Amino acid sequence: MASVKRIAVTGAAGQIGYSILPRIAAGEIFGPKTPVILQCLDLPVAMDALHGVRMELEDCNFPQLKGMVCTDDPKLAFEGVDLALLVGSTPRGPGMQRNDLLRVNGPIFVEQGQALQEVASKKVRVVVVGNPCNTNCWIAMSSAPKLPKKNFSAMTRLDHNRAASQLAMHAGVEYSQVKNVIIWGNHSNTQFPDWNHAVIAGKKAGKVLNDEQWLRGTFIQTVQERGAAVIKARGKSSALSAASSAIDHARLLMQGTREGEWTSMVVVSDGSYGVPKGLMCSFPVECEEGNWRIVKGLKFDDFSREKFQKSIDELVWERETVKPLLPGAAVAAAETVETGRSA
Protein backbone atom coordinates (compact mmCIF):
# COMPACT_ATOMS: atom_id res chain seq x y z
CA MET A 1 0.00 0.00 0.00
CA ALA A 2 1.17 3.53 -0.78
CA SER A 3 2.36 5.74 2.05
CA VAL A 4 -0.26 7.88 3.76
CA LYS A 5 -0.86 11.38 2.39
CA ARG A 6 -1.74 14.26 4.67
CA ILE A 7 -4.19 16.68 3.05
CA ALA A 8 -5.18 20.01 4.58
CA VAL A 9 -8.49 21.67 3.71
CA THR A 10 -9.28 25.19 4.93
CA GLY A 11 -12.83 26.42 5.28
CA ALA A 12 -13.62 22.77 5.83
CA ALA A 13 -17.02 23.33 7.48
CA GLY A 14 -18.30 25.44 4.58
CA GLN A 15 -20.33 24.43 1.56
CA ILE A 16 -17.35 23.59 -0.65
CA GLY A 17 -15.64 21.77 2.21
CA TYR A 18 -18.76 19.69 2.83
CA SER A 19 -18.76 18.66 -0.84
CA ILE A 20 -15.02 18.07 -1.22
CA LEU A 21 -14.08 16.18 1.95
CA PRO A 22 -15.90 12.91 1.19
CA ARG A 23 -14.40 12.78 -2.29
CA ILE A 24 -10.90 13.22 -0.92
CA ALA A 25 -11.63 10.56 1.69
CA ALA A 26 -12.77 8.23 -1.10
CA GLY A 27 -9.37 8.52 -2.79
CA GLU A 28 -10.20 10.75 -5.74
CA ILE A 29 -6.98 12.78 -5.64
CA PHE A 30 -4.17 10.32 -5.04
CA GLY A 31 -6.05 7.18 -6.07
CA PRO A 32 -8.04 4.48 -4.26
CA LYS A 33 -4.97 2.65 -2.94
CA THR A 34 -3.47 5.66 -1.16
CA PRO A 35 -4.53 6.20 2.49
CA VAL A 36 -5.19 9.79 3.56
CA ILE A 37 -5.34 11.83 6.74
CA LEU A 38 -7.56 14.92 6.54
CA GLN A 39 -6.36 17.99 8.44
CA CYS A 40 -9.27 20.44 8.52
CA LEU A 41 -9.08 24.14 9.35
CA ASP A 42 -11.87 26.59 10.01
CA LEU A 43 -12.73 29.56 12.21
CA PRO A 44 -13.37 29.11 15.96
CA VAL A 45 -17.09 29.80 15.46
CA ALA A 46 -17.29 26.90 12.98
CA MET A 47 -15.77 24.23 15.23
CA ASP A 48 -19.12 22.65 16.17
CA ALA A 49 -20.10 22.39 12.51
CA LEU A 50 -16.67 21.00 11.63
CA HIS A 51 -16.92 18.30 14.27
CA GLY A 52 -20.33 17.43 12.82
CA VAL A 53 -18.71 16.98 9.42
CA ARG A 54 -16.09 14.80 11.09
CA MET A 55 -18.83 12.63 12.58
CA GLU A 56 -20.41 12.19 9.15
CA LEU A 57 -17.10 11.21 7.58
CA GLU A 58 -16.56 8.67 10.34
CA ASP A 59 -20.04 7.30 9.65
CA CYS A 60 -19.17 6.90 5.95
CA ASN A 61 -16.48 4.36 6.94
CA PHE A 62 -14.14 5.22 4.07
CA PRO A 63 -11.39 2.58 4.03
CA GLN A 64 -8.81 5.11 2.74
CA LEU A 65 -9.46 7.59 5.57
CA LYS A 66 -6.92 6.89 8.33
CA GLY A 67 -7.52 9.90 10.54
CA MET A 68 -8.74 13.48 10.89
CA VAL A 69 -7.60 16.68 12.55
CA CYS A 70 -10.15 19.45 13.19
CA THR A 71 -8.70 22.76 14.34
CA ASP A 72 -8.78 26.55 14.12
CA ASP A 73 -4.95 26.72 14.27
CA PRO A 74 -3.21 26.86 10.85
CA LYS A 75 -0.01 25.36 12.26
CA LEU A 76 -1.86 22.28 13.47
CA ALA A 77 -3.82 22.00 10.22
CA PHE A 78 -0.71 22.27 8.03
CA GLU A 79 1.64 20.12 10.12
CA GLY A 80 3.49 17.80 7.73
CA VAL A 81 0.90 18.07 4.93
CA ASP A 82 1.64 16.87 1.41
CA LEU A 83 -1.23 18.83 -0.16
CA ALA A 84 -3.04 21.93 1.07
CA LEU A 85 -6.34 23.00 -0.45
CA LEU A 86 -6.92 26.61 0.61
CA VAL A 87 -10.67 26.80 0.17
CA GLY A 88 -11.70 29.23 2.89
CA SER A 89 -11.83 32.95 2.14
CA THR A 90 -14.03 35.90 2.97
CA PRO A 91 -16.77 36.35 0.33
CA ARG A 92 -17.66 39.72 -1.09
CA GLY A 93 -20.29 41.44 1.05
CA PRO A 94 -22.84 44.14 0.19
CA GLY A 95 -21.17 47.27 -1.10
CA MET A 96 -17.69 45.71 -1.26
CA GLN A 97 -15.50 46.49 -4.24
CA ARG A 98 -12.84 44.09 -5.51
CA ASN A 99 -10.05 46.04 -3.81
CA ASP A 100 -11.96 45.75 -0.51
CA LEU A 101 -12.17 41.99 -1.00
CA LEU A 102 -8.46 41.76 -1.74
CA ARG A 103 -7.52 43.69 1.40
CA VAL A 104 -9.82 41.62 3.62
CA ASN A 105 -8.46 38.31 2.36
CA GLY A 106 -4.83 39.37 2.25
CA PRO A 107 -4.02 38.81 5.95
CA ILE A 108 -5.65 35.35 5.84
CA PHE A 109 -3.34 34.16 3.10
CA VAL A 110 -0.28 35.85 4.60
CA GLU A 111 -0.85 33.85 7.79
CA GLN A 112 -1.50 30.62 5.92
CA GLY A 113 1.54 31.04 3.68
CA GLN A 114 3.76 31.63 6.71
CA ALA A 115 2.32 28.60 8.51
CA LEU A 116 2.82 26.38 5.46
CA GLN A 117 6.45 27.42 5.23
CA GLU A 118 6.98 26.67 8.91
CA VAL A 119 5.28 23.29 9.37
CA ALA A 120 4.24 21.69 6.05
CA SER A 121 6.29 19.20 4.08
CA LYS A 122 8.89 21.01 2.00
CA LYS A 123 7.40 19.20 -0.99
CA VAL A 124 3.88 20.39 -0.18
CA ARG A 125 1.66 21.32 -3.10
CA VAL A 126 -0.63 24.27 -2.38
CA VAL A 127 -3.87 24.75 -4.34
CA VAL A 128 -5.80 27.98 -3.72
CA VAL A 129 -9.54 27.78 -4.32
CA GLY A 130 -10.77 30.72 -2.22
CA ASN A 131 -11.39 33.87 -4.22
CA PRO A 132 -9.91 36.09 -5.53
CA CYS A 133 -7.81 32.98 -6.04
CA ASN A 134 -5.04 34.28 -8.35
CA THR A 135 -4.00 37.03 -6.00
CA ASN A 136 -4.70 35.06 -2.83
CA CYS A 137 -2.29 32.47 -4.22
CA TRP A 138 0.30 35.15 -4.97
CA ILE A 139 -0.01 36.38 -1.37
CA ALA A 140 0.41 32.89 0.10
CA MET A 141 3.35 32.13 -2.21
CA SER A 142 5.05 35.43 -1.44
CA SER A 143 4.56 34.83 2.30
CA ALA A 144 6.38 31.49 2.05
CA PRO A 145 9.62 32.48 0.25
CA LYS A 146 11.46 29.33 1.39
CA LEU A 147 9.01 27.07 -0.45
CA PRO A 148 9.47 26.60 -4.22
CA LYS A 149 7.23 28.91 -6.25
CA LYS A 150 6.23 25.98 -8.47
CA ASN A 151 4.58 24.35 -5.44
CA PHE A 152 1.75 26.90 -5.63
CA SER A 153 -1.22 26.96 -8.00
CA ALA A 154 -4.79 28.23 -8.01
CA MET A 155 -7.98 26.98 -9.57
CA THR A 156 -9.42 27.98 -12.91
CA ARG A 157 -10.48 24.39 -13.62
CA LEU A 158 -14.06 25.41 -12.75
CA ASP A 159 -13.98 27.97 -15.57
CA HIS A 160 -12.28 25.38 -17.81
CA ASN A 161 -15.08 22.89 -17.11
CA ARG A 162 -17.72 25.55 -17.70
CA ALA A 163 -16.18 26.45 -21.05
CA ALA A 164 -15.94 22.82 -22.14
CA SER A 165 -19.54 22.11 -21.20
CA GLN A 166 -20.79 25.16 -23.12
CA LEU A 167 -18.93 24.02 -26.25
CA ALA A 168 -20.25 20.48 -25.85
CA MET A 169 -23.86 21.59 -25.45
CA HIS A 170 -23.65 23.98 -28.40
CA ALA A 171 -22.16 21.24 -30.56
CA GLY A 172 -24.65 18.64 -29.34
CA VAL A 173 -21.96 16.20 -28.18
CA GLU A 174 -21.04 14.54 -24.91
CA TYR A 175 -18.87 16.55 -22.52
CA SER A 176 -16.04 14.04 -22.90
CA GLN A 177 -15.71 14.90 -26.59
CA VAL A 178 -14.31 18.39 -25.83
CA LYS A 179 -10.57 18.74 -25.11
CA ASN A 180 -8.03 21.52 -24.64
CA VAL A 181 -10.09 24.60 -23.98
CA ILE A 182 -8.04 27.26 -22.18
CA ILE A 183 -8.78 29.83 -19.51
CA TRP A 184 -6.29 32.68 -19.78
CA GLY A 185 -5.74 35.29 -17.09
CA ASN A 186 -7.70 35.93 -13.92
CA HIS A 187 -10.47 33.99 -12.22
CA SER A 188 -12.82 36.93 -12.66
CA ASN A 189 -15.12 38.32 -15.32
CA THR A 190 -12.06 39.51 -17.27
CA GLN A 191 -10.86 35.95 -17.91
CA PHE A 192 -10.57 34.87 -21.54
CA PRO A 193 -12.16 31.47 -22.29
CA ASP A 194 -10.30 30.40 -25.44
CA TRP A 195 -11.82 27.97 -27.93
CA ASN A 196 -9.21 28.50 -30.65
CA HIS A 197 -7.07 25.51 -29.66
CA ALA A 198 -9.91 23.30 -28.42
CA VAL A 199 -11.04 20.20 -30.24
CA ILE A 200 -14.48 18.61 -30.42
CA ALA A 201 -14.45 14.91 -31.31
CA GLY A 202 -10.91 15.37 -32.60
CA LYS A 203 -11.67 18.36 -34.84
CA LYS A 204 -11.03 22.07 -34.35
CA ALA A 205 -13.85 23.50 -32.24
CA GLY A 206 -14.26 26.58 -34.45
CA LYS A 207 -14.73 24.46 -37.56
CA VAL A 208 -17.16 22.09 -35.84
CA LEU A 209 -19.32 24.92 -34.50
CA ASN A 210 -18.90 27.35 -37.42
CA ASP A 211 -20.47 30.08 -35.30
CA GLU A 212 -17.93 32.86 -34.73
CA GLN A 213 -20.59 35.29 -33.51
CA TRP A 214 -21.66 32.91 -30.71
CA LEU A 215 -18.06 32.09 -29.78
CA ARG A 216 -16.97 35.73 -29.53
CA GLY A 217 -20.14 36.79 -27.75
CA THR A 218 -22.46 34.47 -25.88
CA PHE A 219 -19.83 31.80 -25.18
CA ILE A 220 -17.33 34.16 -23.56
CA GLN A 221 -19.99 36.05 -21.63
CA THR A 222 -21.66 32.87 -20.34
CA VAL A 223 -18.39 31.45 -18.99
CA GLN A 224 -17.30 34.78 -17.49
CA GLU A 225 -20.64 35.31 -15.72
CA ARG A 226 -21.58 31.72 -14.87
CA GLY A 227 -20.83 32.16 -11.16
CA ALA A 228 -23.23 35.10 -10.92
CA ALA A 229 -25.87 33.11 -12.81
CA VAL A 230 -25.58 30.26 -10.30
CA ILE A 231 -25.99 32.68 -7.40
CA LYS A 232 -29.06 34.18 -9.03
CA ALA A 233 -30.59 30.73 -9.62
CA ARG A 234 -29.93 29.04 -6.27
CA GLY A 235 -29.32 31.97 -3.95
CA LYS A 236 -25.84 30.69 -3.07
CA SER A 237 -22.48 30.58 -4.78
CA SER A 238 -21.15 27.54 -6.63
CA ALA A 239 -20.21 24.83 -4.16
CA LEU A 240 -20.74 21.41 -5.73
CA SER A 241 -19.11 22.41 -9.03
CA ALA A 242 -16.30 24.28 -7.26
CA ALA A 243 -15.54 21.24 -5.11
CA SER A 244 -15.63 18.92 -8.12
CA SER A 245 -13.30 21.19 -10.08
CA ALA A 246 -10.89 21.45 -7.14
CA ILE A 247 -10.74 17.65 -7.13
CA ASP A 248 -10.05 17.73 -10.89
CA HIS A 249 -7.28 20.28 -10.40
CA ALA A 250 -5.57 18.37 -7.60
CA ARG A 251 -5.96 14.96 -9.27
CA LEU A 252 -4.48 16.16 -12.56
CA LEU A 253 -1.67 17.94 -10.73
CA MET A 254 -0.73 14.86 -8.70
CA GLN A 255 -1.53 12.07 -11.17
CA GLY A 256 -0.81 13.91 -14.42
CA THR A 257 -2.59 15.01 -17.57
CA ARG A 258 -3.00 12.66 -20.52
CA GLU A 259 -0.57 12.91 -23.40
CA GLY A 260 -1.66 15.58 -25.84
CA GLU A 261 -4.10 17.15 -23.36
CA TRP A 262 -3.81 20.05 -20.97
CA THR A 263 -5.77 21.69 -18.19
CA SER A 264 -6.15 25.34 -17.18
CA MET A 265 -4.33 26.30 -14.00
CA VAL A 266 -3.17 29.47 -12.27
CA VAL A 267 0.61 29.23 -11.92
CA VAL A 268 3.50 31.65 -11.54
CA SER A 269 4.44 33.21 -14.87
CA ASP A 270 7.88 32.63 -16.35
CA GLY A 271 7.26 35.43 -18.85
CA SER A 272 5.44 33.25 -21.38
CA TYR A 273 2.84 34.89 -23.66
CA GLY A 274 3.82 38.38 -22.51
CA VAL A 275 2.64 37.84 -18.91
CA PRO A 276 4.93 39.68 -16.45
CA LYS A 277 7.28 37.28 -14.70
CA GLY A 278 6.09 36.37 -11.20
CA LEU A 279 2.41 37.12 -11.83
CA MET A 280 -0.07 34.38 -10.89
CA CYS A 281 -1.94 33.83 -14.15
CA SER A 282 -4.05 31.07 -15.67
CA PHE A 283 -2.31 29.21 -18.48
CA PRO A 284 -2.73 25.88 -20.27
CA VAL A 285 -0.49 23.43 -18.41
CA GLU A 286 0.57 19.81 -18.60
CA CYS A 287 1.13 18.02 -15.28
CA GLU A 288 3.11 15.07 -13.99
CA GLU A 289 3.67 13.85 -10.42
CA GLY A 290 2.84 17.14 -8.73
CA ASN A 291 4.71 19.29 -11.25
CA TRP A 292 3.35 21.47 -14.04
CA ARG A 293 4.73 23.06 -17.19
CA ILE A 294 3.17 25.80 -19.26
CA VAL A 295 2.19 24.74 -22.78
CA LYS A 296 4.29 26.90 -25.11
CA GLY A 297 3.97 28.10 -28.70
CA LEU A 298 0.22 28.74 -28.95
CA LYS A 299 -0.83 31.63 -31.20
CA PHE A 300 -3.19 34.54 -30.57
CA ASP A 301 -5.22 36.54 -33.04
CA ASP A 302 -5.81 40.24 -32.33
CA PHE A 303 -9.21 39.59 -30.71
CA SER A 304 -7.78 36.96 -28.33
CA ARG A 305 -4.74 39.05 -27.41
CA GLU A 306 -6.92 42.03 -26.55
CA LYS A 307 -9.13 39.91 -24.30
CA PHE A 308 -6.17 38.28 -22.56
CA GLN A 309 -4.37 41.59 -22.05
CA LYS A 310 -7.37 43.01 -20.19
CA SER A 311 -7.13 40.17 -17.68
CA ILE A 312 -3.35 40.56 -17.33
CA ASP A 313 -3.80 44.26 -16.59
CA GLU A 314 -6.33 43.42 -13.87
CA LEU A 315 -3.92 40.94 -12.28
CA VAL A 316 -1.13 43.52 -12.21
CA TRP A 317 -3.50 45.99 -10.53
CA GLU A 318 -4.52 43.35 -7.94
CA ARG A 319 -0.91 42.54 -7.14
CA GLU A 320 -0.05 46.20 -6.59
CA THR A 321 -3.15 46.61 -4.41
CA VAL A 322 -2.14 43.84 -1.99
CA LYS A 323 1.63 44.43 -1.86
CA PRO A 324 1.34 46.70 1.22
CA LEU A 325 -0.26 43.79 3.11
CA LEU A 326 2.84 41.61 2.85
CA PRO A 327 5.61 41.49 5.45
CA GLY A 328 8.75 43.33 4.32
CA ALA A 329 10.72 40.15 3.61
CA ALA A 330 7.88 38.76 1.53
CA VAL A 331 7.68 41.94 -0.55
CA ALA A 332 11.41 41.73 -1.27
CA ALA A 333 11.13 38.06 -2.25
CA ALA A 334 8.14 38.77 -4.48
CA GLU A 335 9.93 41.60 -6.25
CA THR A 336 12.92 39.32 -6.84
CA VAL A 337 10.65 36.86 -8.65
CA GLU A 338 9.00 39.59 -10.70
CA THR A 339 12.22 41.17 -11.94
CA GLY A 340 14.20 37.97 -12.29
CA ARG A 341 16.95 39.25 -9.97
CA SER A 342 19.02 36.80 -7.97
CA ALA A 343 18.11 36.60 -4.30
Side-chain angles (χ1 to χ4, degrees):
M1 180 176 288
S3 60
V4 65
K5 297 293 186 182
R6 293 182 174 270
I7 304 174
V9 178
T10 73
Q15 287 193 85
I16 296 175
Y18 191 75
S19 295
I20 202 172
L21 288 171
R23 296 185 61 178
I24 299 172
E28 290 195 33
I29 292 178
F30 288 99
K33 295 183 179 180
T34 301
V36 297
I37 295 174
L38 290 172
Q39 300 185 190
C40 302
L41 177 70
D42 217 312
L43 299 172
V45 296
M47 284 301 102
D48 286 346
L50 183 54
H51 286 297
V53 174
R54 176 180 188 159
M55 291 164 64
E56 289 202 72
L57 286 166
E58 292 170 346
D59 294 346
C60 289
N61 198 27
F62 289 110
Q64 294 86 359
L65 183 58
K66 302 305 179 184
M68 286 190 67
V69 174
C70 296
T71 182
D72 59 5
D73 184 346
K75 290 184 181 179
L76 289 178
F78 296 150
E79 178 69 37
V81 295
D82 303 287
L83 174 66
L85 300 174
L86 307 188
V87 176
S89 63
T90 301
R92 182 181 294 183
M96 288 181 69
Q97 302 298 317
R98 194 167 180 87
N99 59 339
D100 298 322
L101 188 65
L102 290 163
R103 292 189 179 102
V104 168
N105 278 291
I108 297 171
F109 288 87
V110 167
E111 180 186 29
Q112 292 182 0
Q114 292 175 329
L116 284 162
Q117 175 173 272
E118 184 174 343
V119 301
S121 163
K122 298 308 177 186
K123 296 181 179 180
V124 65
R125 296 303 189 264
V126 182
V127 177
V128 177
V129 176
N131 287 319
C133 68
N134 293 56
T135 299
N136 286 343
C137 189
W138 183 84
I139 293 169
M141 181 186 74
S142 300
S143 301
K146 293 182 181 179
L147 292 176
K149 307 305 179 191
K150 287 180 71 72
N151 288 20
F152 289 80
S153 62
M155 186 181 80
T156 45
R157 180 69 194 198
L158 176 54
D159 310 297
H160 181 110
N161 287 343
R162 287 167 170 168
S165 69
Q166 290 299 313
L167 293 176
M169 288 188 289
H170 199 65
V173 302
E174 295 181 2
Y175 299 146
S176 61
Q177 295 295 300
V178 180
K179 310 291 183 185
N180 290 358
V181 297
I182 304 169
I183 302 299
W184 299 98
N186 200 2
H187 176 63
S188 74
N189 61 9
T190 69
Q191 66 179 254
F192 174 48
D194 186 357
W195 69 92
N196 290 289
H197 309 284
V199 294
I200 299 175
K203 300 178 181 178
K204 285 284 189 179
K207 291 184 178 180
V208 172
L209 295 172
N210 194 28
D211 192 346
E212 195 76 3
Q213 182 176 358
W214 179 83
L215 288 166
R216 291 189 173 207
T218 302
F219 167 69
I220 293 175
Q221 184 177 3
T222 299
V223 177
Q224 288 176 336
E225 299 179 1
R226 187 69 163 185
V230 170
I231 292 173
K232 183 177 180 180
R234 70 184 293 263
K236 297 178 181 179
S237 60
S238 304
L240 185 153
S241 57
S244 183
S245 299
I247 292 287
D248 289 344
H249 177 120
R251 184 188 68 254
L252 291 168
L253 177 63
M254 304 311 299
Q255 296 193 37
T257 50
R258 294 178 179 177
E259 186 175 355
E261 295 183 18
W262 57 65
T263 186
S264 299
M265 190 175 290
V266 175
V267 297
V268 62
S269 173
D270 60 1
S272 295
Y273 299 108
V275 179
K277 191 173 183 179
L279 201 66
M280 296 302 296
C281 181
S282 184
F283 295 98
V285 302
E286 298 169 323
C287 303
E288 184 179 8
E289 297 182 348
N291 298 308
W292 51 263
R293 56 185 173 273
I294 297 171
V295 176
K296 303 294 181 70
L298 302 178
K299 304 299 183 183
F300 287 87
D301 58 22
D302 291 343
F303 175 86
S304 301
R305 172 49 67 182
E306 181 180 354
K307 292 291 186 182
F308 186 21
Q309 189 61 49
K310 182 178 179 180
S311 204
I312 294 171
D313 292 344
E314 182 181 59
L315 285 170
V316 171
W317 171 81
E318 288 188 7
R319 184 183 62 188
E320 296 308 306
T321 298
V322 300
K323 267 188 180 179
L325 304 177
L326 299 183
V331 172
E335 289 179 344
T336 296
V337 172
E338 290 158 25
T339 61
R341 298 195 311 267
S342 298

